[in-house]
Amino acid sequence: MGFYDRFVLPRLIDLACRSKVATERRATLVPGASGAVLEVGVGSGLNLRFYSPSATRLVAVDPSEELLSMARRKTADLGFPVDLRCESAEALSLEDASIDTIVMTFTLCSIPEPVRALREMRRVLKPEGRLLFIEHGLAPDAGVRRWQQRLNPVWNRIAGGCNLNRRIDALLAEGGFRVAELRKAYLPGPRPLTYTYEGSAL
């Protein structure tokens, strides 16, 4: 791993994910997590302050040691135990049916094998559990889609493997989830980057 990927990119990701609108969406979604929670792609820990007392423990995974180090500094005042793990979503070190809620925010775009990761999440989620998600992805408008396809090869290289053109609801279904709630909309900002899928899946 080069200097850019190890030291520069994590800070750029943290900065990009701190936008006002992204923070507002996190603040709406994350408090709905309860029981034993798995956060996939915890990054620098921007969701941590939004967990409610309904969360009894949190396992949070991310493949970046640098981002986990940033997240660790935000765990001191939380009212429940937090277990930060440097691992990929495609191979979770958790037992089957051990998690009540999975939280995933702006993460699925950059997982190398998204369907494999979702099947792992399905494996560790209890039968009555829920996946809460906010993700950006493929837009419905033909003109925006064309720009997403054109930009994606370059964007993917400079943005840590992030993809602009993944259809999130289709990936969830292929990964074994049934979408229970889904809201789709453009957030403020460049349209190829800001079409979002938000909701819950079972």
Side-chain angles (χ1 to χ4, degrees), residues 20-32 47 102-106 108 130-138 166-170 172 178-188 194-201:
K20 179 182 178 182
V21 67
T23 300
E24 289 172 350
R25 300 320 312 147
R26 295 174 192 275
T28 299
L29 183 87
V30 175
N47 286 337
I102 296 174
V103 172
M104 185 172 62
T105 61
F106 306 107
L108 200 59
R130 294 184 305 150
L131 166 64
L132 306 179
F133 62 89
I134 309 170
E135 297 291 339
H136 74 93
L138 190 66
R166 288 182 173 175
R167 185 177 164 186
I168 303 303
D169 49 356
L172 288 167
R178 176 176 62 83
V179 175
E181 300 175 83
L182 181 61
R183 295 171 294 281
K184 297 188 279 189
Y186 289 102
L187 298 181
T194 60
Y195 189 72
T196 60
Y197 300 67
E198 178 178 345
S200 64

Side-chain angles (χ1 to χ4, degrees), residues 8 12 19 35 43 69 71 73 80 94 96 100 117-118 131 134 145 158 175 183 186 188-189 194 197:
V8 178
L12 291 178
S19 73
S69 177
R73 296 193 286 269
F80 51 83
L94 287 164
D96 295 358
D100 297 297
L118 286 163
L131 166 64
I134 309 170
R145 285 190 184 206
I158 66 173
R183 295 171 294 281
Y186 289 102
T194 60
Y197 300 67

